[in-house]
Amino acid sequence: MRSVEREMATSPYTIGVYYYPWYGDNFHGGRYMRNQLVPPQYPTLGEYDDRDEAVIAQHLVWSRQAHIGLWVASWWGPNRREDRTLLNHILPHGDLGDMQIALFYETSGRTRNFEDFSDVRADIAYMAEHYFDHANYQRIDGCLLYTSPSPRDS
């Protein structure tokens, strides 16, 4: 094992990445920047559906090879595609192992561009009921990790 790999494997730090569980069987409807390049640059797994068990398994393999221990997943609300993908496909995946998960609350979408906060309380209650007690939900010193962007001044 190389020195850098040894340091990564024994590091007390958790390396996390943003994970977007929103790619369905139409993968952006075929409309994304990299397929418009000359030559096109397609995803290594092709235009995948992120609910596919093999896709999740490969993402986990690549994450572990890079010493990533945390996926911070985009979350747009109860029963949305991202929520169903996390609850029904990623969290119960047989290869999840010790990979930690945290939610990135997509505030701009859930608050209608920071103008309506009426869903926030119910959203957090939903997250608490469906995610926070899961063994793979990330905790730091016993506290839950939950992320959300803050509104920027214009």
Side-chain angles (χ1 to χ4, degrees):
M1 185 181 300
R2 296 184 322 200
S3 175
V4 172
E5 289 174 343
R6 188 173 16 268
E7 286 180 38
M8 295 293 291
T10 61
S11 172
Y13 298 104
T14 299
I15 298 172
V17 295
Y18 285 112
Y19 190 81
Y20 298 97
W22 57 30
Y23 300 113
D25 57 1
N26 70 348
F27 200 83
H28 295 288
R31 297 175 52 188
Y32 52 99
M33 184 183 78
R34 289 182 174 253
N35 78 337
Q36 302 301 314
L37 298 175
V38 178
Q41 297 176 357
Y42 296 106
T44 300
L45 297 177
E47 295 180 350
Y48 60 83
D49 180 341
D50 58 19
R51 290 180 174 178
D52 183 303
E53 284 193 36
V55 168
I56 297 168
Q58 184 60 62
H59 287 170
L60 287 164
V61 166
W62 286 332
S63 293
R64 289 187 177 103
Q65 287 172 344
H67 301 283
I68 292 165
L70 168 65
W71 287 355
V72 179
S74 176
W75 192 83
W76 288 85
N79 298 309
R80 298 282 303 267
R81 178 175 175 75
E82 301 79 15
D83 179 53
R84 296 286 108 213
T85 299
L86 287 164
L87 290 175
N88 299 330
H89 302 276
I90 293 174
L91 287 173
H93 195 281
D95 295 337
L96 189 62
D98 61 355
M99 179 64 66
Q100 297 293 291
I101 303 292
L103 298 179
F104 182 84
Y105 187 68
E106 297 287 358
T107 311
S108 62
R110 296 303 297 157
T111 63
R112 293 149 199 80
N113 292 316
F114 306 102
E115 295 181 9
D116 177 1
F117 294 87
S118 61
D119 290 333
V120 174
R121 182 180 301 234
D123 285 351
I124 293 174
Y126 178 91
M127 289 181 224
E129 180 181 344
H130 292 89
Y131 291 94
F132 295 164
D133 287 335
H134 194 282
N136 291 78
Y137 200 88
Q138 175 69 34
R139 289 169 179 73
I140 299 174
D141 294 330
C143 298
L144 297 165
L145 176 63
Y146 160 84
T147 62
S148 176
S150 53
R152 294 185 175 91
D153 294 333
S154 301

